[in-house]
Amino acid sequence: MARVGQPAVCASLGVCRSDRREGKDVKGKPGNHGSVSGVAPVSCSCASCLCSRIPLPGVMDTEGRVDESRLRMYIFKNGGVTPTERGPVWRFLFGMYPCSSTALERPLLLEQLTVRYKVMKKKWQQLLPGAIRLRLNGTDAELQAAVQYFDQRQEREREQAENQTEEVRERMSFLELQAQVLFERVTFDLEELQEAIRIIDKDVPRTDRDLAYYMNEGLGNLLVLRDILITYAAFHPEVSYAQGMNDLCSRFLEVLDAEVDTFWSFSCYMEKFSKDFRADGLHRKIELEAALLKELDPQLHAHLVTENMDRLTFCHRWLLLGFQREFEHSDALRLFEILSCDHLELISQQVDRARYQERLACKHSLEYEPVTEPHAINTEFTFELFICATILLENREALLSCRNEVQLIQFTNSLQGTLDLNSSLEKAEEHFYNYCKRTAWDCRKRKSKEEHFLFQLRNFFS
């Protein structure tokens, strides 16, 4: 089945709640989510969510187009954005809205995205009517309350649809007809989809309910999350659903606070990273992490190999979920933004240019001396791997004392929520720069200028 694409062009439905979601962030931290939580609307029509203006200097022009390079640079240089900026920014950062779209085009785009999502969800619900509602665990009173809150939201949505003007109804009917034609030939493997729903129904109730977003009436967001994940699995059978996607998608739902916006942003993210949820993709990433650790600390790597712990299974969750549980929640969101900027990557133009200029400088200054060939660079070493390696190196003594995987997993589990993001970022950058330096010149011959490349690379990001 062909992948489901986004429309090239495109008024939104639902009620915005941004005016009552200020005060305390998740787990009592200051931020954009209030202590009064509710069920996310289908889509959000407020001006800030439609991104008529992104309050970041030099990022958006007068017609509302976003300079993607400047947006990513701003996030990278400032270590993320503020909680109030996060929702509008993520809609561009993760591809829900094309950066080339104008402020006038985006309401129409959102309207089309909303109708398409509704048609997609309705399609699997018609084929599997028994899967529309979550099968409740009779001992989980919170889940029963979640269904109640979700049903109340559904009723509000129906009332709003009935109060639409005739003009809006006609436009919606036309868009719905277009969407039905688009998805008419889409077929489902019902057995595989039912299996995906079975796993989703186990995972969704396990989503972190300590977040303020899922407290009180916000419990209904568990059902919103469920619908998003099932719709994604239905229309992306090559990926379907894998454990961990609920935590990842929950991050988008919490920030964007709208069902449609979350579905499309999550889908765009998965276009790039769905391979990480397949066994071969994750295995490859763990292999790369082991190779990087061997480059940075051969002794620690040798210890893990000797004790048969080199599979680094404890790193699976870190890399799969972007260190979601290792840092305090708001910091984990910041890290997710920073990693998504793709600036500190070995394939980036800035890094390649810095390495090229350093090699030129090396050639001219040492033209009468023999120069050792620089080390080959492994462009598959992504910055998230350097973050992971930094955590390992910062705890190397404890890791060296581990003698089996059980001890290793127990120790790494104890790190959850305890790591300092700013310190980890700074040290990961140092490891990244040091690795780059080794590929730019023979360090043994350039001791006096070993900081030049560090300055050169940082200068490109200033």
Side-chain angles (χ1 to χ4, degrees):
M1 185 190 75
R3 296 191 72 85
V4 178
Q6 285 184 262
V9 293
C10 354
S12 61
L13 307 173
V15 178
C16 172
R17 299 183 294 145
S18 61
D19 57 341
R20 66 183 182 90
R21 296 300 297 275
E22 298 177 354
K24 294 290 183 180
D25 197 3
V26 291
K27 298 185 179 178
K29 301 295 182 182
N32 63 330
H33 292 307
S35 56
V36 179
S37 59
V39 185
V42 173
S43 58
C44 190
S45 60
C46 67
S48 62
C49 291
L50 285 174
C51 305
S52 50
R53 296 305 304 172
I54 288 185
L56 306 179
V59 166
M60 184 175 279
D61 67 18
T62 56
E63 293 185 334
R65 297 183 184 87
V66 171
D67 186 320
E68 184 175 1
S69 178
R70 289 189 177 185
L71 174 64
R72 292 177 179 272
M73 181 69 75
Y74 180 93
I75 295 170
F76 171 76
K77 289 177 62 178
N78 292 275
V81 298
T82 66
T84 54
E85 297 164 343
R86 186 160 287 141
V89 165
W90 278 31
R91 286 169 169 84
F92 290 99
L93 180 63
F94 293 104
M96 174 190 166
Y97 289 135
C99 289
S100 59
S101 64
T102 66
L104 291 177
E105 292 170 338
R106 283 192 286 277
L108 301 177
L109 175 59
L110 179 59
E111 192 171 66
Q112 192 170 11
L113 291 173
T114 300
V115 173
R116 286 193 177 187
Y117 173 75
K118 286 185 172 183
V119 170
M120 293 165 74
K121 185 166 72 169
K122 186 177 180 181
K123 188 176 179 70
W124 68 258
Q125 289 180 335
Q126 287 176 334
L127 289 174
L128 295 172
I132 294 177
R133 298 183 70 87
L134 173 69
R135 294 182 181 178
L136 294 175
N137 179 347
T139 63
D140 194 333
E142 285 189 341
L143 271 184
Q144 295 176 355
V147 172
Q148 177 186 351
Y149 294 133
F150 181 74
D151 287 346
Q152 290 172 353
R153 187 205 75 161
Q154 299 293 83
E155 183 60 34
R156 290 194 296 267
E157 296 288 346
R158 283 192 289 269
E159 291 175 358
Q160 291 166 13
E162 292 173 358
N163 293 330
Q164 290 174 343
T165 65
E166 188 64 30
E167 179 184 356
V168 171
R169 289 183 182 180
E170 289 181 0
R171 188 168 69 250
M172 290 299 178
S173 296
F174 177 71
L175 291 175
E176 185 175 349
L177 179 60
Q178 283 186 320
Q180 288 171 346
V181 171
L182 178 64
F183 301 124
E184 181 180 5
R185 296 184 180 180
V186 175
T187 59
F188 303 140
D189 184 322
L190 294 183
E191 186 175 341
E192 288 190 3
L193 182 55
Q194 285 175 316
E195 175 61 16
I197 293 173
R198 184 187 69 80
I199 302 173
I200 290 170
D201 284 352
K202 282 188 175 182
D203 284 359
V204 164
R206 298 170 182 167
T207 305
D208 190 355
R209 297 191 201 177
D210 288 337
L211 299 179
Y213 191 72
Y214 293 111
M215 292 181 178
N216 303 319
E217 188 180 339
L219 272 170
N221 288 317
L222 292 173
L223 282 301
V224 178
L225 179 64
R226 177 182 184 268
D227 279 358
I228 294 169
L229 292 170
I230 296 176
T231 306
Y232 179 84
F235 285 84
H236 299 80
E238 69 283 8
V239 183
S240 188
Y241 176 82
Q243 288 185 318
M245 285 185 186
N246 61 311
D247 288 320
L248 183 61
C249 188
S250 173
R251 175 180 284 169
F252 284 94
L253 181 59
E254 177 198 349
V255 170
L256 302 177
D257 194 35
E259 185 173 352
V260 169
D261 307 49
T262 298
F263 174 81
W264 291 109
S265 298
F266 175 71
S267 297
C268 289
Y269 176 86
M270 292 296 290
E271 285 281 346
K272 183 176 180 180
F273 294 104
S274 62
K275 62 182 182 297
D276 291 348
F277 286 88
R278 296 195 295 265
D280 56 339
L282 188 55
H283 179 69
R284 176 57 181 162
K285 184 166 285 190
I286 294 299
E287 283 185 336
L288 289 169
E289 184 60 51
L292 177 58
L293 183 61
K294 186 176 181 179
E295 289 267 0
L296 301 179
D297 193 330
Q299 181 186 2
L300 178 56
H301 178 267
H303 167 74
L304 296 176
V305 170
T306 302
E307 300 296 335
N308 296 317
M309 296 183 291
D310 55 317
R311 289 179 296 172
L312 302 181
T313 53
F314 58 93
C315 294
H316 287 185
R317 188 188 70 241
W318 295 1
L319 296 171
L320 193 64
L321 302 182
F323 311 94
Q324 182 167 322
R325 299 175 186 173
E326 281 54 59
F327 297 93
E328 192 276 327
H329 185 69
S330 59
D331 280 345
L333 292 177
R334 284 204 299 126
L335 177 58
F336 192 57
E337 293 167 346
I338 295 168
L339 292 175
S340 299
C341 288
D342 296 329
H343 268 304
L344 280 185
E345 301 295 342
L346 294 166
I347 60 173
S348 70
Q349 293 181 353
Q350 292 94 335
V351 173
D352 190 58
R353 182 181 169 194
R355 292 175 62 250
Y356 173 73
Q357 292 197 0
E358 184 57 38
R359 287 195 297 270
L360 283 182
C362 176
K363 179 179 178 181
H364 290 305
S365 63
L366 300 176
E367 57 184 4
Y368 297 110
E369 301 178 32
V371 179
T372 304
E373 276 296 309
H375 292 268
I377 190 170
N378 189 337
T379 57
E380 291 187 273
F381 288 164
T382 55
F383 188 57
E384 65 175 343
L385 297 180
F386 283 90
I387 292 283
C388 186
T390 297
I391 298 173
L392 299 178
L393 295 175
E394 287 300 296
N395 295 278
R396 71 185 308 274
E397 296 305 320
L399 293 174
L400 288 171
S401 68
C402 292
R403 297 300 172 188
N404 54 61
E405 280 198 308
V406 173
Q407 293 178 355
L408 204 58
I409 293 174
Q410 287 176 344
F411 170 73
T412 52
N413 283 342
S414 71
L415 298 178
Q416 292 188 30
T418 66
L419 302 180
D420 180 82
L421 177 58
N422 291 333
S423 175
S424 297
L425 282 172
E426 181 178 352
K427 291 168 183 174
E429 288 179 12
E430 291 294 335
H431 290 306
F432 178 87
Y433 294 133
N434 288 333
Y435 178 77
C436 288
K437 285 193 296 184
R438 293 182 56 196
T439 68
W441 67 79
D442 178 14
C443 296
R444 291 171 298 178
K445 294 183 176 297
R446 297 295 304 277
K447 289 289 186 181
S448 61
K449 289 194 173 184
E450 67 177 357
E451 294 304 320
H452 180 70
F453 181 77
L454 182 65
F455 170 79
Q456 180 74 40
L457 184 55
R458 283 181 171 165
N459 188 50
F460 281 117
F461 292 109
S462 63

